[in-house]
Amino acid sequence: DNHTIQQQMRKILINSGYLADIAGNGKEALECIERVQYDLCLMDMFMPVLDGQQTTRQIRAYETGDEHLPIIGISAGNAADRNLCLEA
C-alpha cells in the first residue's frame, strides 16, 4: 500500500510489542520470507510486481511439512476481495 499506511501499520505493530518488516511489493515479500522466519504475514492483496494472491501462492508452494506461515490478507477494497484472499 502507500508508504504512509505502511508506516502507520508498522508503528501500531511495534507499539504493540511486535517486530515488523515492510516489503514494498510481492517480490520483496518473498525475499524477506526467504531470509527471516516470521510468525505472521500481513499481505496487501493489491501490491505491485506480484499481487498478494500470487505471492501467497508462491509462499504456499515452497512450504513443506505441517508448518505454514499464517497469512492475513489486507485490502481497502470490498467484500469481493475476501474471496481473493481465501482462494490464495
Side-chain angles (χ1 to χ4, degrees):
D1 221 43
N2 73 42
H3 181 73
T4 302
I5 293 173
Q6 289 174 343
Q7 293 304 317
Q8 288 174 341
M9 290 185 74
R10 184 172 187 272
K11 184 177 180 179
I12 290 168
L13 291 168
I14 289 172
N15 287 343
S16 297
Y18 299 98
L19 299 176
D21 293 324
I22 295 175
N25 60 57
K27 183 175 182 273
E28 289 178 11
L30 292 173
E31 291 168 357
C32 287
I33 289 169
E34 287 177 5
R35 290 191 317 265
V36 178
Q37 184 175 352
Y38 292 99
D39 294 322
L40 175 69
C41 176
L42 300 177
M43 182 76 68
D44 182 354
M45 295 309 296
F46 298 101
M47 293 182 292
V49 183
L50 288 173
D51 66 27
Q53 192 175 28
Q54 294 167 321
T55 305
T56 298
R57 285 187 177 143
Q58 287 194 27
I59 292 167
R60 294 292 182 239
Y62 290 111
E63 289 179 329
T64 59
D66 294 332
E67 292 190 28
H68 297 285
L69 175 65
I71 300 173
I72 299 173
I74 298 173
S75 172
N78 56 39
D81 295 338
R82 179 180 185 273
N83 292 332
L84 290 175
C85 296
L86 294 174
E87 288 173 13

